[in-house]
Amino acid sequence: MRNCERYAGRRVLVVGMARSGVAAAQMLLKAGAKVVVNDSKTAEQLGDAIVPLQGLPVEWALGCPAGECLDGVDVLVISPGIPDTAAFVLKAKTMGIEVTGELELASQLAEGTLVALTGTNGKTTTVSLLGEIFRLAGKRTHVVGNIGYPFSAAAMESAPEDIFVCEVSSFQMETADTFHPHVGALLNITEDHLNRHGTMENYTATKMRLFARQGEGDAAVFNADDPALAPLMREVHSRVMTFSRQKEVPHGAFVRDGMVMLNISGKEEAVCPAEEIYIPGPHNLENALAAACMAAAMGVEIPVIAQALRTFTGVEHRIEFVRELEGVRYINDSKGTNVDSTIKAVQTMQRPTAIILGGYDKHCDFTPMVKEMVLSPYIRQAVLIGATADQIERTCRENGFDAIRRASTLKEAVALCREAAEAGWNVLLSPACASFDMFEDYEARGRVFKEIVFSLS
């Protein structure tokens, strides 16, 4: 690790003992810090989550409010789930305590080259594909961040020749300061997380912090097909590149006559036919173009990019085929946690489909999704669950979609879909909502869905 002297001997309070908090505590110990770990849950409630810290020289402050642990603290590290407007965070700032997040912390200490991307949708698929491209190019690659593998965990063992491909959420960007990707990308911007950020302007500004530290020697990659991004391109100080599946672009990745093309430094090169990209759907073509553009900006050879596009099979919980039973295909899109993401899943369906919708309320408007369902020739039935079921049903009926049923559990929802589906149909879990009303996270929701589906006889 580099810059260890920044934290050596300083007393650092790490709040939130999920994966990123535990990894941050481990990394800080290695950097020579005096680490205090805090969570509102007790050790018994945290269970296996804190096992990696057992036996390490940390000071435990579990089962108590973080605001009670600030005396004598030099640095406060908060988890992404904690807004920077939380009362104890504001108190820490008034006390002169430095406040940061795990992502920012890891970027300060990691050795290697950082490539990062953000956006409302497509992040996990794109970083996973980009990581595969770098691995095929022979690079020691770590795919980290919001994808579920903490940046800190990889940073502890990093070397100068390593590449970090980092998925970044808007929550993580709230505490970013020196975070500086050599190549950064903004895939898209649609309404999401307004319960946290308040307005689209705030949400967008938080995403744009990804590029704040970039300079002329860096590259910023944008989706040329998203009109909301056009004015944002003028805000960056790095070299702008774009990708598009709808038009040709002067610097970046695009499709011409069915062929994926790259134009880097004024030289056009064909990559592969778009139809040979393994992962299906127009949204995945966008993800592939973004990954190809970023990889090319990092100097990866065209044949390597083409091989990855042809062989990458996708990620768990994102339009993931689970099983076919009695001619019905069951598809897990638990990562469809917002309206735009579920719209993309709906657009991918090519068979009659029963869709499971609903979950935690993020204060989003479901109208665009329902209108897409009405336009689709394939969405035949919607089964609603969770805290937003009433809101989604009301929006459906207001827009003329009446094929609705309600379920109190995910298991009941699968049963109702199975009852409606015939041979040749899909059953699609794509909730358009977060999972926190019923599950720990979207991964837990997806795993439960798959367990239910595999238990069907």
Side-chain angles (χ1 to χ4, degrees):
M1 294 191 302
R2 62 189 178 95
N3 297 329
C4 288
E5 67 281 357
R6 180 165 184 159
Y7 294 99
R10 302 179 78 188
R11 194 161 186 263
V12 183
L13 173 63
V14 181
V15 179
M17 287 296 101
R19 283 174 287 195
S20 63
V22 169
Q26 291 174 299
M27 183 178 64
L28 284 162
L29 287 172
K30 190 168 183 179
K34 301 172 183 177
V35 179
V36 184
V37 295
N38 168 262
D39 198 288
S40 59
K41 295 179 181 178
T42 64
E44 291 73 20
Q45 290 170 324
L46 289 167
D48 292 343
I50 57 173
V51 167
L53 298 178
Q54 299 292 346
L56 297 180
V58 298
E59 180 182 334
W60 299 93
L62 302 178
C64 63
E68 297 178 1
C69 308
L70 296 174
D71 288 343
V73 167
D74 301 305
V75 182
L76 170 63
V77 179
I78 56 176
S79 74
I82 299 169
D84 59 358
T85 54
F88 78 88
V89 177
L90 297 177
K91 179 182 177 181
K93 291 178 179 179
T94 64
M95 295 171 64
I97 297 172
E98 179 185 338
V99 177
T100 190
E102 181 269 337
L103 187 85
E104 168 69 17
L105 181 73
S107 72
Q108 295 169 1
L109 299 178
E111 296 190 80
T113 302
L114 175 60
V115 176
L117 62 86
T118 191
T120 305
N121 295 302
K123 297 187 294 294
T124 298
T125 297
T126 306
V127 294
S128 300
L129 172 55
L130 189 55
E132 183 64 17
I133 293 173
F134 287 130
R135 291 188 190 105
L136 288 175
K139 306 293 185 181
R140 186 170 184 249
T141 306
H142 312 275
V143 180
V144 299
N146 193 56
I147 194 170
Y149 180 50
F151 194 171
S152 296
M156 283 186 281
E157 307 300 331
S158 59
E161 64 273 15
D162 291 2
I163 292 180
F164 293 92
V165 182
C166 189
E167 176 184 327
V168 181
S169 74
S170 59
F171 293 1
Q172 291 170 314
M173 278 288 96
E174 287 180 347
T175 50
D177 180 22
T178 65
F179 188 81
H180 181 177
H182 178 53
V183 177
L186 179 57
L187 303 183
N188 44 61
I189 286 281
T190 57
E191 187 178 274
D192 199 14
H193 299 302
L194 298 190
N195 59 325
R196 170 92 165 231
H197 299 296
T199 66
M200 277 297 292
E201 290 75 16
N202 290 341
Y203 177 52
T204 301
T206 306
K207 291 284 192 186
M208 285 296 291
R209 294 183 67 164
L210 183 82
F211 307 104
R213 293 287 178 172
Q214 284 194 320
E216 293 181 359
D218 304 311
V221 177
F222 292 88
N223 184 350
D225 298 336
D226 188 337
L229 305 190
L232 303 179
M233 298 181 199
R234 296 190 290 270
E235 297 181 13
V236 303
H237 304 291
S238 48
R239 177 170 54 114
V240 173
M241 303 173 69
T242 57
F243 63 92
S244 172
R245 64 180 176 86
Q246 299 175 355
K247 59 191 175 187
E248 296 189 14
V249 297
H251 307 289
F254 59 94
V255 180
R256 174 190 290 158
D257 299 327
M259 180 69 69
V260 174
M261 303 290 297
L262 280 168
N263 186 339
I264 308 297
S265 302
K267 180 183 178 183
E268 285 191 1
E269 293 186 78
V271 180
C272 68
E275 64 181 14
E276 293 183 4
I277 297 172
Y278 190 93
I279 47 179
H283 64 292
N284 277 326
L285 174 55
E286 290 184 2
N287 296 336
L289 290 168
C293 185
M294 296 180 75
M298 287 286 292
V300 178
E301 298 292 332
I302 298 296
V304 174
I305 297 173
Q307 182 185 355
L309 298 188
R310 291 185 176 110
T311 58
F312 177 72
T313 58
V315 298
E316 188 179 18
H317 309 302
R318 187 62 179 129
I319 315 184
E320 174 195 11
F321 171 70
V322 178
R323 180 189 185 189
E324 183 167 330
L325 177 65
E326 298 171 335
V328 177
R329 293 170 62 89
Y330 291 82
I331 299 168
N332 168 29
D333 190 47
S334 184
K335 205 170 189 315
T337 59
N338 57 61
V339 166
D340 193 60
S341 185
T342 294
I343 286 174
K344 288 176 168 56
V346 167
Q347 292 171 340
T348 303
M349 296 300 103
Q350 299 296 316
R351 296 164 29 132
T353 299
I355 185 171
I356 300 171
L357 297 166
Y360 177 75
D361 187 4
K362 293 195 287 184
H363 300 173
C364 292
D365 180 9
F366 295 104
T367 304
M369 175 191 72
V370 173
K371 287 183 176 179
E372 191 68 35
M373 290 164 54
V374 172
L375 288 173
S376 170
Y378 299 113
I379 304 301
R380 306 289 177 83
Q381 178 81 49
V383 177
L384 312 182
I385 60 173
T388 56
D390 287 344
Q391 184 183 349
I392 295 175
E393 179 171 359
R394 183 169 59 252
T395 307
C396 283
R397 297 199 187 281
E398 287 172 352
N399 288 275
F401 189 95
D402 296 317
I404 301 165
R405 300 185 73 177
R406 299 284 289 264
S408 57
T409 65
L410 184 55
K411 185 174 183 179
E412 182 186 356
V414 173
L416 291 175
C417 287
R418 186 184 186 189
E419 184 180 303
E422 302 173 4
W425 279 47
N426 295 326
V427 170
L428 169 67
L429 170 69
S430 187
C433 301
S435 57
F436 306 127
D437 58 334
M438 299 172 72
F439 301 92
E440 179 182 0
D441 52 31
Y442 77 83
E443 294 167 312
R445 179 171 60 190
R447 286 193 297 268
V448 170
F449 176 75
K450 292 196 286 186
E451 289 167 4
I452 293 168
V453 169
F454 281 123
S455 72
L456 299 176
S457 61

